[in-house]
Structures are given as C-alpha cells and as structure tokens.
Amino acid sequence: MAQTQTTPTTPPGPAAPARTRSTGAVLADALRGNVRQYGMLVALALIVVLFQIWTDGTLLKPLNITNLIQQNGYILILAIGMMIVIIAGHIDLSVGSLAAFVGAAAAVMMVKHDLPWPLALVLALLIGAVAGAWQGFWIAYIGIPSFIVTLAGMLLFRGGTQILLQGQSIAPFPKGFQKISSGFLPEVGPHTNYHNLTLLLGLGVLAIAVLQEVRGRRQAASYGLELLPVGFFLAKLAAITAAVLVFTLLLASYHGAPIVLLILGALLVGFGYLMRNSIIGRHTYAIGGNEPAAKLSGVKSKRVVFLAFVNMGVLAALAGLVFAARLNAGTPQAGINFELEAIAAAFIGGASASGGVGTVLGAIIGGLVLGVLNNGMSLVGVGTDYQQVIKGLVLLAAVGFDVWNKRKVGS
C-alpha cells in the first residue's frame, strides 16, 4: 500500500497591520463627499459675519432674527418640496401660483363663508394635494415634461386666484389663523429674562443633535467605515452646541420661538428622515440619478414621481397659508416669483440640475443664504434692483461650482 506523504504546514504569521490613512486624507474625503453642503454652510457663516459687521450688529439682534424667520418661512417650506422634486429629476414652476390660489381659497372659506379656521386649513391642504395629484398624473403617467405641465399649472392657478378674489383682497382672518405665521410659543413657568419654553426646546434640540452625531459615529464604526479623528469630531460637536445655544438665547431673549419655526423644524426632521431612511426616499434618489437603471431594479418610478408632486402640492398649499396668515389677507398678487426663490434655494443648497443629488437640510441652508442676503442688503440700503443682480450671481456661482466639481471628479 502506498504511503501518502503530507506536507507540513507552517503556522500563519501575524496578520499585517491594517493600513491607516492620514488625518488629512480622511478629512479630504469627508469634505469631498459633502463639498456643496459644507461650502454653503461656510458661505452662510461668512455672509452672516459680513452683514453683522456692515449693519453694526443689527443683523443678529433678536427682533431681526425673528423677522428673518417669519419673512422667509414660506420660501423655506417651498424649498423643501422643490428639493425633493429636483432630486427626482423634475421641476415645478407652479408653486407660487398654487400658493396664491390656496391662500385665496382659504380667505374665501374663512371670511365669506365663516368656516372655522382649522377646517379651512385642512381643506386648503387638501386642495394643494389635489392640485399636486393633477399635475403629477400628467407628468408621471401621461409622460408630459414637468416643465410644460407646471408652466400650464402656473397660468391655471394664477387665473384661478384672480377669479376667486375678483381682483380684490379679502381680509381679515381669525386671530388663531394669523398665529400660524406671526404667533409664538406661549409663556410658561416663572418670570425670567428669557422665554422659558424656548430655552427648554433649545436644550432638547441640542441633546437630540449631539446624540444623533454620536449614534452616527458608532454606527459608522460598527460597519468598519472611516471616522473623523476624535479631535475634529469633538470640534464639530462644539460648533453644533455653540450654534444651537446662541440661536436659542437670541430667540428666548425676545418673544420666544415663532410658530412657523416649529413648522419648519417638524418638516426638516420628518422629510430629512424620509429621504435618508425610507424606501421611497431611496427610490427618489435612484430615479433622479438613473431612471432606466432604477426601473430595471424594480422601482415604481411613476408612483414615486406622482407622490413627489402630490407632496409638492401640499407644501405649496402650506406655504400659501403661512404667507396669507402673515399678510392677514388673501391677495391677487400673492405668490409672485415664489417658484424662482424656491428653485434658487434648492440649487444653492446642493441640488443638481441632472437630479439624484441634494438634501432637505441643504434646501434650508440655501433658503437661509437667500434670506440673509435679502435681509442684510435691505438693512444696509441696497436697492431691490441690485439685490436681484446679486442673487442671480449667487445662483449662477452655486450651479457653476456644481458643474465644475462634477467635471473634476469625473476626470
């Protein structure tokens, strides 16, 4: 019988140490992955510092901060919906006219027909949903380009506004409805120099933000992903803490947090989570990035696009209600150029003209850039003509930077 000879195996040596990358390389990758969003944050900070100096400290006074939020609340609401539509690879030119139409409908219901304002608010949001569904049907299921459909919607809803109001403003609204735009959190607790409920709210937001950052870092570590160095992570937490505390103290030293800020906060958290973690959010990015590939992967693209426009209709209705509540009237001239402001905010905040890119937070940042520019230039006496020129150049620079960055990455 032949003997089989076994070859002795040598014990494995120590595993090669994992290659560690330099701190600079890790930071460069982190910045490269979020270049537009970080860039706009830096730009916003620089604009704030510039106008704070230029206005001799007026920009960051509590009264002006409150006015800034209330004046731009409806544009930020529209920017959130517009960002989602652009991520899906489409555009909506009708949001300004739809906001005006819904504000006019709410005015007719509350003033002429004496409907309770909560019921009128719900019906107005339903009108927005139906209008969004109408446009979404033609875009998603019939295949007409969104530019054409929403351009037709812009004309349709503008004419509907004129018909509803018959060329006249309708006012006034109930006090409860007006508080949607001009109201504040109520005073509670002992009398202090600050608004107690706003302080508690700010501390709660800070705790959630810090916990979310820590949780995200732990999850990244569990998946074996590269992490920012501890020092930079702590610096990021310190910056978040300082920003939230300063903002909270500014609001709490006046009348507290405006109601419209709470609405924006709820939309930011809700839609941010939806776009990051839900199936429909991931499908929206997939459709905007590569629709044919998304369809081959089983994504129901028509349904996703349809829902994106329904959502845009609801948010346009909400923006129209906020604007009408601020004016305390339904007016035929409401909503003019709202769509341009919303589109500009989305692109400045990181949206891509080709779709598939952008975040809800980016839409808020882009809207704030425009809002601070408007407010700051008005405070220093820059005319509206020059304001339009400057905002146009800012929009062109933001989109041009996106194109340049894509070409650089592609090369």
Side-chain angles (χ1 to χ4, degrees):
M1 176 179 258
Q3 288 184 331
T4 58
Q5 187 175 7
T6 60
T7 304
T9 58
T10 57
R19 186 178 62 177
T20 58
R21 303 178 67 203
S22 66
T23 300
V26 175
L27 285 176
D29 284 348
L31 291 173
R32 193 178 298 115
N34 300 275
V35 62
R36 286 287 298 277
Q37 191 161 305
Y38 287 150
M40 284 302 105
L41 274 174
V42 172
L44 177 60
L46 292 176
I47 292 170
V48 169
V49 171
L50 172 65
F51 281 113
Q52 176 70 358
I53 296 172
W54 204 355
T55 61
D56 296 325
T58 302
L59 182 72
L60 292 182
K61 286 186 177 179
L63 173 61
N64 193 61
I65 292 294
T66 300
N67 289 336
L68 188 62
I69 295 169
Q70 293 178 332
Q71 287 171 0
N72 294 279
Y74 55 91
I75 294 298
L76 297 178
I77 293 171
L78 288 175
I80 292 173
M82 189 65 71
M83 176 65 85
I84 295 172
V85 169
I86 292 174
I87 290 173
H90 294 275
I91 200 73
D92 193 339
L93 302 178
S94 68
V95 294
S97 297
L98 179 54
F101 179 76
V102 171
V108 170
M109 287 187 284
M110 287 185 288
V111 178
K112 289 192 173 182
H113 298 288
D114 295 323
L115 260 66
W117 72 265
L119 177 59
L121 186 147
V122 173
L123 292 176
L125 294 177
L126 288 175
I127 291 172
V130 171
W134 163 261
Q135 297 191 125
F137 170 78
W138 291 103
I139 295 165
Y141 294 102
I142 304 301
I144 302 176
S146 57
F147 182 90
I148 301 300
V149 172
T150 58
L151 179 60
M154 179 176 69
L155 300 174
L156 190 154
F157 297 128
R158 181 59 60 186
T161 303
Q162 300 287 346
I163 293 171
L164 278 176
L165 298 178
Q166 298 179 351
Q168 298 178 346
S169 297
I170 297 179
F173 293 144
K175 294 293 184 182
F177 182 78
Q178 294 179 44
K179 289 182 179 179
I180 294 174
S181 180
S182 58
F184 297 87
L185 282 177
E187 288 275 5
V188 296
H191 177 72
T192 62
N193 292 328
Y194 294 96
H195 192 274
N196 298 322
L197 200 55
T198 299
L199 290 177
L200 292 175
L201 180 64
L203 291 175
V205 170
L206 176 59
I208 292 172
V210 171
L211 288 175
Q212 186 68 23
E213 288 291 331
V214 173
R215 181 187 174 190
R217 184 177 176 85
R218 287 178 178 174
Q219 285 182 343
S222 67
Y223 294 140
L225 302 177
E226 278 188 329
L227 304 175
L228 281 176
V230 175
F232 287 98
F233 178 71
L234 293 177
K236 182 180 179 181
L237 291 183
I240 293 173
T241 301
V244 173
L245 289 179
V246 169
F247 185 67
T248 300
L249 290 174
L250 286 172
L251 292 178
S253 61
Y254 186 55
H255 290 311
I259 299 298
V260 69
L261 178 62
L262 303 183
I263 296 174
L264 283 169
L267 293 176
L268 174 61
V269 172
F271 282 105
Y273 179 85
L274 185 75
M275 295 301 290
R276 285 194 313 268
N277 303 312
S278 71
I279 293 175
I280 193 170
R282 291 191 288 270
H283 285 181
T284 303
Y285 281 105
I287 291 170
N290 191 331
E291 186 173 2
K295 287 181 178 179
L296 291 174
S297 300
V299 175
K300 297 179 179 178
S301 60
K302 294 180 179 179
R303 175 174 172 269
V304 173
V305 171
F306 176 78
L307 292 177
F309 277 92
V310 172
N311 176 70
M312 183 72 259
V314 173
L315 291 180
L318 179 59
L321 293 172
V322 170
F323 184 74
R326 179 168 177 79
L327 291 183
N328 191 25
T331 65
Q333 301 303 316
I336 294 178
N337 289 336
F338 281 12
E339 62 279 351
L340 302 183
E341 295 277 349
I343 292 170
F347 280 116
I348 291 172
S352 173
S354 58
V357 178
T359 63
V360 175
L361 178 60
I364 297 294
I365 293 172
L368 288 176
V369 168
L370 288 176
V372 173
L373 277 174
N374 286 333
N375 184 262
M377 289 189 291
S378 296
L379 289 175
V380 298
V382 177
T384 56
D385 45 1
Y386 287 100
Q387 289 185 28
Q388 298 297 323
V389 171
I390 293 171
K391 287 192 294 183
L393 291 175
V394 170
L395 174 60
L396 184 62
V399 178
F401 179 76
D402 176 59
V403 173
W404 172 82
N405 185 58
K406 283 183 177 179
R407 290 178 178 174
K408 182 178 179 182
V409 172
S411 63

